[in-house]
Amino acid sequence: MIYPKIPLAQSIMQICLAKGVTDIVISPGSRNAPLTIGFASHPDFTCYSIADERAAAFFGLGMAQQYHKPVALVCTSGSALLNYYPAIAEAFYSQIPLIVISADRPKSKIDIGDGQTIRQENVYANHILFSANLDEHASADNDALINQAIAVAKYSKGPVHINAPFEEPLYETVAEPTVQVDVQFVTPPQYVIQEDLSYYATEWNNAAKKLVLVGVNDPGTINAEVINYFAADPSVLVMTETTSNLHHHTFLNSIDTIITPFTKEDFEEWQPDILLTFGGMVVSKRVKAWLRSYKPKHHWHIDTLRAYDTYSALTKHFTVTVNDFFAAFLPLVTQKESDYKSNALALNAFRREKHDAYQEKIPFSDHKAFGHIFPSLPHGSQLQISNSSAIRYAQLFDIKPEVEVFCNRGTSGIDGSTSTAVGAAVASGKQTVMLTGDISFLYDSNALWNNYIPQDFRIILINNAGGGIFRILPGHKETPVFNTYFETTHNLTAQHLAAMFGFEYITASDESTLLQALEGFYEGTGKPKLLEVFTPMQEKDKILIQYFK
């Protein structure tokens, strides 16, 4: 066995192994050589080499998203760890466990003009759960910080930073560890209801309009008993999104389609007495605007860790899991006679008829393309969606319950979406489809500079020659400033990128060629595939605006 000679690197490596942090994403460098040698030379670690630190961090985030356990990122000193920051912020807001292990110069080398050196301690201060600023020498204090960082990442579900200074020489090795580490195990937190729920049950039983709004939610996590209760109570209306991964024919899964045409009277009629939320971020801006203007009497949020006051109406945070909450709550509640759900379902049926009729008559466009793509997704596959237009179009269409849906909604950035999808595909082992817009794809093109992309990985790229979402915003005007600085109009394609990175490349430019391309797109040919769908730039905003009318 080969170990780094530097004792601190040995300590980090041994504690990670003892605490089950065995997936390591490494970006090449010199200052992190002791860590790289230690992790890559040990058979119990699974290591991935990804040169671009931003892509590497999102790759690790995608893995941790699927594993629900910490994945470690290892980089050299200097600007390298700054390139992790977008993924760190995403992990912070999406509650995904990541461990950044950055190599550093010793403190005596900081701010004296030494190369590849910045102030690395606490560099992520605003978006990190814990910072372990280690001393250069192995010690009990360092061991305690490393242990604490890993525990925080695991149990508080978020990113942590371990900053490790190393002095040269960096590449020397030994056959056996020369330090004994202190591995500390903590008792996992137990989330239990510690209060009498009778008050909340009384309020619930008296309310004729109860709205359950579900944000980002992992597939298969909500018990059938809870779903069946929501579906049966006529006073309970459930609104979901594609990222909610929660399905029932009585749930409304296209919020914007429902509420965009609402009048003031409609909003008042739909105003809930109680708003119950769980899951992560919500995509729909319209539902946020509605509930901020027409506030519920009560807003209760269920989450073991955080409760955002998104609607400026939060009155209670239940710090338990959704299933544990309802296991205690359901025996206390009764169904309430109400037309809240029935009226909503009638309107939903009407909207669906209008949706189908509109979809049939519109010309080929983004809207038309998405309408064909979603039904084509294979059963049991995983759909990763980029931000901006793609995730918003996804809210307008049904997606099979057998398809798991993910999107980086913590910060809603377009950076790193493809890298996240690749990491998720590697971790899940499921056929993964990345659905992305052109700007997001081009922004993260280094995601394809990756030796781990599964052969059944698929990318569907909607290329409308620019940032089409800005055309539906209030400030849109057809001017050189808009075209250059907002929409970022371009004439680029993915053809040469696909060839360079070994993807089979397919194109579609109208409804007929799209349907033809989708027929065999998900079948295996021994390499990943990229389908580039070219849609008209000028018509998409008019078609989408008219859809909501």
Side-chain angles (χ1 to χ4, degrees), residues 193 196-198 200-202 204-205 223 225-226 229 233 322-335:
I193 296 176
D196 184 358
L197 295 178
S198 57
Y200 302 99
T202 299
W204 185 269
N205 290 335
N223 288 345
E225 179 186 15
V226 178
Y229 167 72
D233 193 324
V322 174
N323 291 327
D324 285 346
F325 172 81
F326 280 103
F329 193 62
L330 290 185
L332 306 177
V333 303
T334 57
Q335 292 188 13

Side-chain angles (χ1 to χ4, degrees), residues 87 233 303 487:
D233 193 324
D303 188 275
E487 190 172 45

Side-chain angles (χ1 to χ4, degrees), residues 358-369 511 536 539 543:
Y358 190 75
Q359 188 70 14
E360 283 292 323
K361 73 179 184 180
I362 57 175
F364 189 67
S365 57
D366 288 3
H367 202 288
K368 193 83 165 181
E511 187 171 9
E539 297 299 318
I543 290 172

